[in-house]
Amino acid sequence: MTFLKEKIFDIKTSPIDSVEVKNALTQVSEREFPQRKTEDWRYAKLGKILNKNYQFDANEVKDISAFLIPDLEADLVVLVNGFYNEQWSNIKSLDGVTILPIEKASQLDAFKNHFNVLAKESQEIFTSINTAYNQGGVFVEVAKNIQVERPIFILNINAGNGVISNARNLIVVAQSSELKVIQRYVTQNGTENFNNALTEVFVKQNAKVTIEKIQDFSEFDRQVCTEEIHQEKDSNFVINTFTLSGGFVRNGLNIKVDGTNCYSEMNGLFIGKGEQFIDNHTRIDHLKSNCISSELYKGILKDSATGVFNGKVIVHKDAQVIEAYQQNKNVLLSDTATMNTKPELEIFADDVKCSHGTTTGQFDEEAIFYLQARGISKNAAKEMLIGAFANEVIEKISIDAVKDFVLAKLA
Amino acid sequence: MSKTIINIKNLHASVDGKAILKGINLEVKAGEVHAIMGPNGSGKSTLSSVLAGREEFEVTDGEVDYLGLDLLELEPEERAWEGLFLAFQYPVEIPGVSNMNFLKTALAEKAKHKGLEPVSSKDFLKLVKEKSQLVELSDKLKNRSVNEGFSGGEKKRNEIFQMAMLEPKLSILDETDSGLDIDALRIVANGVNTLKNAENATIVITHYQRLLDYIIPDFVHVLHDGKIIKTGDKTLALELEERGYDWLVKDLV
């Protein structure tokens, strides 16, 4: 048992055999948790996470059928409270594709060359905690020139009360290969769990990686979820984030575009109700020339929910001929819902085409009246408009079964 | 004697505390076309908004009987289910909602309210094909989001297409002629005339006489400062075109 705020981590450290774990332990003891005055965390009520007792727990899960996605053909990796679950994971071995519990991968070259390379640059204490205390996760490597047809479905399950999980994933997709990953986060039972998952992704030259991320923890669970992405030249990376539930959700998405002629896309749809808090922080660093990035986040906030969007686009000095587009659109469905949005563009190159825009408003009363005047009841009209608003992001999903699943979740 | 569709008695309405309608009396019977004309600010659009149930207008006095129902007690969607149709002066663009899905939902909700089975997909498509021909609406437009990227004329044709699909008992055309070129005007008017029968009625709200060359009214009413100050037949519209409204207003004083 531990009290996160006092950082008395008498809990087990990561089983990964790497000097990175020891360094991270030192960082945890040196770093402070964010305060209200910490700019990047200013809206987050971190007390929900910090003032709790947490424990590790490799809880049993008796049935996962409720958490599967209908009609999805995929290799299944099940992580329960951050532990790799052999019982429910179901992987077909394919030539050139390695899928292993992360602790078993630590002697592989691809692991040693990539593990923590991106995460160690982070100043976030939650990232250090993940590196120091993770108890499992998955390592995925795709060798050169392989278009993996079966996506990999990483199912993260919170099961228990006051459980902390630090799932750690590492995905390396080699030159000219292609991979799709689905990450889903769900609660089986219990409350006040804290999920602090982190995924590092390396997209090598001319490779393509797509992540479909669906977060629907219970409204009593908390999450800090981090993705660290590295793109080499000619590569393509897309992530679509759907935050459908969760008491406290903080997403940190960081992309380093470290090669010319890359394409990067970040899309998100978040729906907050009750007292939920949903925070999306994204950062894309354009380090090389001739790249395009596109970002669209949409939020729907009901009741007393709070949303945050902070999107940083940084075009470095030597990155010329960059096109970067960013949009954040939000709809508030009640007077007590709140949205805090902040686009940040930092441009140090001259030949750059950037645009950003943000809107926050209520539904167009004229549109609702128009639908009503045609015989569509007020509630149905609102549902119709919510669906239309959300659809622009849902349309981005690259796997039909996942698209249908998200649509059904919204219905 | 044909049946009364709507009977408006002493209707007063205000918006933000400002009185706009100051005692409207109007009875419309089945098979009739009534034109309501008047200068800007006379209350024409307020009247159509109040009849369709727009929330920001407050009815301060009077009553409206619509097919034996107290119209003012009904929600806008209930009015639609009972066969009241407002063709908007400014049809709203609704990105992301397809024209077809929108109409299908509208028909399904109406059927549900009437205790009927929803129309089958096959019959729906047949209906769409038939009714869209009436106003020469292309497949491309039908399959787009509601009014999104439509030209002014296309929006108005889409209104009449929706009217044809919903088969209303009372249609209120609010400045449907505004922004239409002569070809579009002819198409729209032809649609309205084709839908006209002995069982339904039409109220045409317009600023100009030219629409009434195509949709021939049985009665023409002049609205001024929230009241109907003169009623006549179709020749009144021609006289208004010639002489404007001032002579009527002078008579009033």
Side-chain angles (χ1 to χ4, degrees):
Chain A
M1 293 274 262
T2 181
F3 203 32
L4 191 57
K5 186 144 193 185
E6 290 166 14
K7 294 192 285 182
I8 310 166
F9 280 88
D10 52 356
I11 49 181
K12 269 198 304 186
T13 54
S14 168
I16 294 172
D17 178 14
S18 167
V19 66
E20 299 296 331
V21 173
K22 289 187 190 68
N23 292 342
L25 276 166
T26 311
Q27 285 174 345
V28 172
S29 64
E30 287 169 1
R31 285 181 177 171
E32 294 297 326
F33 282 100
Q35 310 282 317
R36 290 297 287 218
K37 62 179 190 290
T38 311
E39 181 60 27
D40 266 354
W41 290 84
R42 59 185 289 196
Y43 300 109
K45 295 183 183 79
L46 272 174
K48 279 187 176 178
I49 289 178
L50 301 182
N51 300 325
K52 302 292 173 196
N53 288 309
Y54 292 111
Q55 58 191 329
F56 281 140
D57 188 351
N59 220 325
E60 294 284 304
V61 170
K62 291 196 177 64
D63 185 8
I64 61 160
S65 57
F67 307 134
L68 297 178
I69 293 175
D71 302 321
L72 176 68
E73 291 277 330
D75 278 337
L76 179 63
V77 172
V78 178
L79 305 176
V80 178
N81 294 338
F83 291 80
Y84 191 100
N85 186 296
E86 297 275 3
Q87 183 196 353
W88 291 110
S89 295
N90 183 5
I91 292 154
K92 283 187 184 171
S93 59
L94 287 169
D95 280 351
V97 183
T98 308
I99 303 175
L100 281 175
I102 196 158
E103 63 274 21
K104 290 186 183 166
S106 62
Q107 295 315 309
L108 299 178
D109 283 345
F111 181 93
K112 287 193 246 176
N113 292 338
H114 296 98
F115 176 70
N116 213 35
V117 166
L118 301 172
K120 73 175 168 200
E121 302 291 330
S122 166
Q123 300 302 309
E124 297 290 352
I125 189 170
F126 293 107
T127 295
S128 307
I129 290 173
N130 179 284
T131 308
Y133 293 100
N134 71 74
Q135 297 301 309
V138 63
F139 169 75
V140 177
E141 187 193 8
V142 180
K144 282 183 185 178
N145 296 316
I146 296 174
Q147 276 74 52
V148 185
E149 284 188 20
R150 269 168 84 79
I152 298 174
F153 178 19
I154 304 172
L155 177 59
N156 298 266
I157 303 173
N158 278 357
N161 285 303
V163 175
I164 181 171
S165 44
N166 291 299
R168 177 62 173 254
N169 308 310
L170 174 59
I171 298 170
V172 181
V173 178
Q175 190 176 334
S176 300
S177 289
E178 203 175 319
L179 179 70
K180 287 180 182 173
V181 176
I182 301 128
Q183 287 246 45
R184 186 176 180 209
Y185 297 88
V186 293
T187 305
Q188 177 187 251
N189 54 14
T191 63
E192 302 203 331
N193 299 303
F194 173 43
N195 192 299
N196 181 39
L198 191 148
T199 302
E200 284 179 290
V201 182
F202 290 83
V203 192
K204 299 293 184 180
Q205 186 180 338
N206 198 38
K208 181 175 182 183
V209 175
T210 305
I211 298 178
E212 309 292 356
K213 174 173 161 185
I214 304 166
Q215 297 167 291
D216 47 358
F217 279 136
S218 87
E219 61 190 290
F220 306 107
D221 278 359
R222 292 93 203 228
Q223 179 173 33
V224 172
C225 192
T226 310
E227 287 92 19
E228 300 281 353
I229 317 294
H230 184 267
Q231 284 187 258
E232 287 186 5
K233 71 173 181 178
D234 302 322
S235 68
N236 185 313
F237 176 77
V238 178
I239 183 165
N240 301 313
T241 302
F242 297 88
T243 310
L244 308 177
S245 179
F248 176 108
V249 178
R250 160 72 175 226
N251 289 318
L253 167 61
N254 303 303
I255 303 179
K256 281 195 170 59
V257 189
D258 196 8
T260 54
N261 196 33
C262 287
Y263 181 79
S264 322
E265 197 176 317
M266 300 166 266
N267 304 302
L269 174 69
F270 52 96
I271 298 170
K273 56 180 185 294
E275 303 275 318
Q276 291 173 353
F277 174 84
I278 301 171
D279 180 341
N280 278 290
H281 267 65
T282 69
R283 171 179 170 143
I284 183 160
D285 282 89
H286 282 288
L287 298 160
K288 300 280 164 65
S289 297
N290 292 304
C291 292
I292 299 174
S293 67
S294 166
E295 178 167 27
L296 173 67
Y297 272 74
K298 289 183 125 178
I300 299 167
L301 297 169
K302 309 176 186 179
D303 309 327
S304 297
T306 303
V308 179
F309 173 78
N310 182 300
K312 277 195 184 81
V313 177
I314 302 166
V315 182
H316 292 257
K317 191 163 63 78
D318 298 326
Q320 299 294 350
V321 199
I322 297 294
E323 287 178 45
Y325 307 103
Q326 182 189 77
Q327 263 202 322
N328 170 233
K329 297 183 193 173
N330 311 293
V331 171
L332 304 180
L333 296 181
S334 89
D335 293 341
T336 46
T338 312
M339 182 69 207
N340 306 288
T341 177
K342 188 178 176 193
E344 289 184 62
L345 267 60
E346 293 175 32
I347 298 168
F348 303 101
D350 349 295
D351 188 0
V352 168
K353 199 160 111 189
C354 282
S355 72
H356 68 92
T358 166
T359 57
T360 298
Q362 295 174 335
F363 268 131
D364 182 358
E365 291 293 328
E366 271 298 303
I368 292 173
F369 178 68
Y370 188 77
L371 294 170
Q372 278 185 284
R374 296 295 174 259
I376 296 166
S377 61
K378 194 167 196 170
N379 282 336
K382 282 186 179 169
E383 291 299 323
M384 215 172 206
L385 293 179
I386 290 172
F389 181 81
N391 214 25
E392 192 184 358
V393 185
I394 295 172
E395 281 301 314
K396 310 269 186 190
I397 299 176
S398 63
I399 302 164
D400 285 345
V402 177
K403 194 186 286 184
D404 293 343
F405 177 74
V406 173
L407 277 172
K409 290 288 273 183
L410 287 182
Chain B
M1 215 180 109
S2 52
K3 136 177 134 171
T4 297
I5 302 271
I6 194 166
N7 195 358
I8 303 168
K9 286 182 190 158
N10 191 32
L11 184 64
H12 286 68
S14 61
V15 62
D16 296 331
K18 187 173 179 277
I20 311 273
L21 301 183
K22 301 173 181 173
I24 302 274
N25 293 290
L26 178 66
E27 186 179 6
V28 177
K29 293 199 167 96
E32 293 176 351
V33 175
H34 289 242
I36 296 178
M37 303 184 71
N40 285 332
S42 58
K44 299 191 301 290
S45 283
T46 300
L47 177 62
S48 64
S49 292
V50 168
L51 295 180
R54 205 185 277 271
E55 266 175 20
E56 51 277 30
F57 296 89
E58 194 195 345
V59 174
T60 49
D61 200 4
E63 54 191 75
V64 180
D65 179 280
Y66 172 73
L67 296 170
L69 299 163
D70 181 354
L71 185 74
L72 301 175
E73 285 299 305
L74 301 179
E75 294 294 323
E77 59 268 30
E78 294 173 311
R79 300 178 194 205
W81 298 334
E82 297 298 338
L84 186 129
F85 182 90
L86 171 66
F88 282 59
Q89 181 177 4
Y90 304 109
V92 184
E93 297 196 14
I94 311 180
V97 174
S98 87
N99 232 349
M100 289 300 96
N101 187 24
F102 154 63
L103 271 175
K104 206 167 182 185
T105 309
L107 284 176
E109 289 221 14
K110 185 177 177 178
K112 193 169 116 194
H113 172 72
K114 295 281 177 196
L116 301 169
E117 285 292 306
V119 58
S120 73
S121 290
K122 198 177 146 213
D123 290 345
F124 176 75
L125 289 174
K126 220 172 100 185
L127 204 62
V128 165
K129 198 174 169 196
E130 179 195 326
K131 304 294 187 185
S132 59
Q133 277 168 0
L134 196 67
V135 286
E136 300 171 29
L137 202 67
S138 69
D139 285 349
K140 206 179 79 199
L141 292 182
K142 281 183 293 190
N143 292 321
R144 263 206 242 153
S145 291
V146 178
N147 291 324
E148 194 185 26
F150 284 34
S151 71
E154 286 166 346
K155 282 181 185 167
K156 297 298 171 76
R157 270 151 59 195
N158 198 24
E159 292 294 285
I160 306 305
F161 166 58
Q162 291 169 27
M163 177 176 148
M165 291 292 290
L166 293 165
E167 298 180 333
K169 295 201 180 75
L170 176 65
S171 303
I172 303 165
L173 311 181
D174 187 5
E175 308 261 5
T176 297
D177 49 339
S178 67
L180 289 190
D181 63 34
I182 202 75
D183 288 331
L185 191 69
R186 203 176 287 134
I187 292 169
V188 163
N190 180 47
V192 173
N193 288 331
T194 311
L195 296 170
K196 210 180 103 175
N197 61 40
E199 305 297 318
N200 62 24
T202 311
I203 298 176
V204 182
I205 292 173
T206 182
H207 196 79
Y208 303 104
Q209 186 271 335
R210 63 172 191 163
L211 178 64
L212 304 179
D213 284 343
Y214 299 96
I215 303 172
I216 311 293
D218 301 295
F219 299 92
V220 173
H221 309 276
V222 178
L223 197 60
H224 174 77
D225 193 25
K227 281 183 183 168
I228 290 173
I229 56 166
K230 190 166 180 68
T231 294
D233 62 12
K234 61 182 178 182
T235 58
L236 176 59
L238 292 166
E239 200 174 354
L240 289 169
E241 178 82 351
E242 192 119 320
R243 301 175 62 188
Y245 294 100
D246 290 349
W247 60 281
L248 279 173
V249 179
K250 260 185 218 127
D251 278 2
L252 223 57
V253 185

